[in-house]
Amino acid sequence: MSSSKAPTQPAKRSTQEWQAADARHFLHPFTDFKSLAQKGSRIITKADNIYLWDSEGKKILDGMSGLWCVNVGYGQQSLIDAAAKQMAELPFYNAFFQTATMPAIELAEVLAEISPPGFDHVFFTGSGSEGNDTIVRMVRRYWDLKGQPERQVIIGRINGYHGSTMAGASLGGMSGMHAQGGLPIPNITHIEQPHWFELGQDMSREAFGCKAAGWLEEKILALGADKVAAFIGEPVQGAGGVIVPPSTYWPEIQRICDKYGILLVSDEVICGFGRTGNWFGCETMGFKPDLMTFAKGVSSGYIPLGGVLVGDRVAKVLIEEGGEFNHGFTYSGHPTACAVALANLKLLREQHVVEHVREDIGPYLAQRFAELNEHPLVGETQSCGMMAALQLVNGKSAQKPTGTAFAGELEVGMICRKYCFANGLIMRAVGDRMIVAPPLVMTRPQIDEMMTLIRLCLDQTLDELTQRGLL
């Protein structure tokens, strides 16, 4: 069958030509298409270790691990080889038709080994968003089998993030996402986030943690405990701004869920596989969920893979009660993705990367980030393992050391991000909260390099705000 369109030739193109082709054909996620088409995309061409290079040859320190996922850094040959080997033997087969592949079975075994006690079963998906869609289906299926089909409601948190599919975006509490597409879907509701800087500065962090957890009990009682199926949260809120909850928060959430028999879901898509200094964020925060969503770090982003780790409480009912679970994906247990994940987990274990985060590089990142509190634009810093945040503020004083928030329309975070990109640093802006989540394999000298760039960007932001009379 002929086509009137000539095939695109792989000849070398200029940056402008790549940008023009991108604008003509590629619709990016979470993007103002009109604005990006006018500006032009940054074209990334190669990567190694913790660095990227763009089409202009500019070297960039990747302070966000791609998108919270390239935990072992770029260019790990063992992961590349695992993909090539599996592609040659069995590139794909599905998990329908009562069939399995060896990489999927082996990965399920390894995940059971590294997970907290009581997690012996895995349901594979292609992403974290699909994993959280699975949570909705699985939680409601569990209560159906328990003879309590009226337990439909799942409680999430305002400013939480659980993906961008219909169910994932509904579980999350991002107002911008809910403004599009008729979200949230029915029987999903939210409580406030445990954000001390924004909501609790009139009390200690510990007291605020208990108060914030108490909002869950208030919501349960308002809805009726017999209607509530589960509570879902990220151990540390990632896309919401690296919001580390007070130490009192998660143990109290656990107590409340146990009191009312509600399933507790830990979204480990960002926090899992060493990011917080343990294999899973729930271990760092001291709670025991019934279900855990995962993705990103399981394969270090080399190939898409996600899933749900299913605790014994839920798995026992799903298996022993029988009946078909009418849910799944073409790529559930994709053999090549599973083979890469196996190589990734082997690397994490053999190189003791999780211990490196917990005992060395995570504490060092915390130490260096805490030093930024002295900067006149920084009202608060927080860190947990290899994720950290700083809050941009105005008017710090002895009376108000945490400063005053900037007016949202000034978009001070975006001003700071502009300087980050210009200086070869990827650091994300969430409102006026600047965040990093670097690769777990970073060294201390590389942390120092990143911190030098962060200070430079803060100083340049301060200079611009001063020149514009905004301070």
Side-chain angles (χ1 to χ4, degrees):
M1 182 176 180
S2 63
S3 171
S4 59
K5 293 184 179 180
T8 302
Q9 298 299 314
K12 181 175 176 60
R13 306 186 198 181
S14 68
T15 296
Q16 293 72 27
E17 288 171 329
W18 281 116
Q19 289 173 330
D22 178 67
R24 283 195 302 270
H25 301 295
F26 187 5
L27 297 177
H28 294 236
F30 284 88
T31 295
D32 179 332
F33 304 132
K34 180 179 180 181
S35 175
L36 182 61
Q38 293 170 345
K39 177 184 178 182
S41 298
R42 179 189 299 265
I43 310 299
I44 301 298
T45 59
K46 64 178 182 178
D48 183 59
N49 189 239
I50 68 165
Y51 302 100
L52 305 163
W53 283 264
D54 68 15
S55 54
E56 297 294 298
K58 185 176 181 65
K59 185 179 180 181
I60 306 161
L61 192 156
D62 185 5
M64 283 304 302
S65 302
L67 199 60
W68 314 86
C69 55
V70 188
N71 288 1
V72 297
Y74 299 95
Q76 292 286 359
Q77 193 62 45
S78 61
L79 276 66
I80 298 166
D81 291 345
K85 182 174 183 291
Q86 187 61 43
M87 289 284 280
E89 291 179 359
L90 178 67
F92 170 75
Y93 197 69
N94 68 77
F96 291 62
F97 314 144
Q98 300 182 357
T99 302
T101 64
M102 288 183 281
I105 298 169
E106 189 177 355
L107 179 58
E109 288 180 318
V110 173
L111 288 171
E113 288 175 14
I114 65 174
S115 298
F119 282 89
D120 295 318
H121 295 85
V122 186
F123 188 99
F124 288 114
T125 69
S127 69
S129 293
E130 288 180 359
N132 282 319
D133 277 34
T134 301
I135 288 290
V136 175
R137 300 290 306 280
M138 190 172 284
V139 161
R140 291 176 177 169
R141 175 64 174 162
Y142 168 83
W143 287 114
D144 283 344
L145 291 172
K146 290 284 287 181
Q148 300 178 58
E150 67 281 0
R151 295 188 83 145
Q152 292 276 314
V153 178
I154 301 175
I155 302 172
R157 298 185 297 198
I158 294 169
N159 200 37
Y161 185 81
H162 301 294
S164 62
T165 52
M166 291 292 285
S170 295
L171 291 171
M174 299 284 185
S175 59
M177 297 174 74
H178 289 181
Q180 299 176 355
L183 301 179
I185 60 176
N187 289 318
I188 293 177
T189 189
H190 303 84
I191 60 172
E192 265 292 2
Q193 61 185 328
H195 191 356
W196 175 86
F197 188 88
E198 182 179 286
L199 302 170
Q201 288 197 47
D202 59 339
M203 62 182 75
S204 71
R205 290 183 186 270
E206 291 74 18
F208 173 70
C210 291
K211 177 182 177 180
W215 295 329
L216 174 60
E217 187 161 26
E218 291 173 9
K219 179 67 76 171
I220 292 168
L221 294 174
L223 294 167
D226 59 336
K227 300 293 192 295
V228 179
F231 172 75
I232 185 170
E234 305 151 86
V236 175
Q237 285 166 254
V242 183
I243 297 165
V244 184
S247 60
T248 51
Y249 179 77
W250 276 111
E252 182 65 5
I253 289 286
Q254 177 92 64
R255 185 193 68 77
I256 293 166
C257 288
D258 290 348
K259 177 179 177 180
Y260 295 100
I262 292 163
L263 293 173
L264 178 53
V265 184
S266 183
D267 184 334
E268 299 277 354
V269 171
I270 285 172
C271 294
F273 305 101
R275 175 65 59 188
T276 68
N278 287 290
W279 278 104
F280 295 95
C282 60
E283 297 172 292
T284 302
M285 293 296 146
F287 68 101
K288 298 177 180 179
D290 298 292
L291 297 150
M292 295 193 293
T293 322
F294 67 88
K296 296 188 184 290
V298 70
S299 64
S300 283
Y302 278 50
I303 291 185
L305 179 66
V308 177
L309 283 157
V310 184
D312 290 346
R313 173 184 174 185
V314 176
K316 186 174 188 292
V317 171
L318 294 177
I319 295 167
E320 292 185 359
E321 293 296 325
E324 187 165 338
F325 181 44
N326 296 313
H327 177 77
F329 306 95
T330 299
Y331 301 124
S332 293
H334 191 295
T336 302
C338 290
V340 172
L342 283 164
N344 177 65
L345 298 180
K346 181 181 180 183
L347 186 67
L348 289 172
R349 293 169 110 175
E350 289 182 347
Q351 296 191 3
H352 306 288
V353 173
V354 179
E355 294 84 354
H356 172 67
V357 172
R358 181 172 62 248
E359 299 166 8
D360 179 24
I361 203 68
Y364 188 66
L365 176 65
Q367 172 194 324
R368 295 304 317 274
F369 242 76
E371 294 168 6
L372 296 173
N373 282 306
E374 67 194 31
H375 195 280
L377 279 182
V378 178
E380 177 195 50
T381 61
Q382 282 195 298
S383 70
C384 181
M386 287 299 279
M387 41 197 321
L390 62 87
Q391 185 78 38
L392 298 172
V393 297
N394 190 6
K396 287 172 64 173
S397 65
Q399 292 73 34
K400 192 169 176 55
T402 57
T404 304
F406 287 101
E409 60 268 19
L410 296 178
E411 295 188 323
V412 174
M414 295 303 287
I415 295 172
C416 188
R417 192 186 76 159
K418 171 185 69 176
Y419 288 113
C420 291
F421 281 151
N423 290 306
L425 169 67
I426 295 179
M427 188 179 191
R428 189 170 177 176
V430 180
D432 290 342
R433 203 167 172 89
M434 304 300 297
I435 63 176
V436 294
L440 310 188
V441 294
M442 262 188 128
T443 63
R444 288 188 174 216
Q446 288 172 333
I447 292 283
D448 294 338
E449 177 188 356
M450 181 177 72
M451 297 308 299
T452 298
L453 291 172
I454 290 173
R455 281 193 175 272
L456 171 62
C457 298
L458 287 172
D459 289 343
Q460 291 176 336
T461 302
L462 179 63
D463 289 344
E464 177 173 331
L465 294 174
T466 301
Q467 291 167 11
R468 291 169 57 184
L470 299 176
L471 293 176

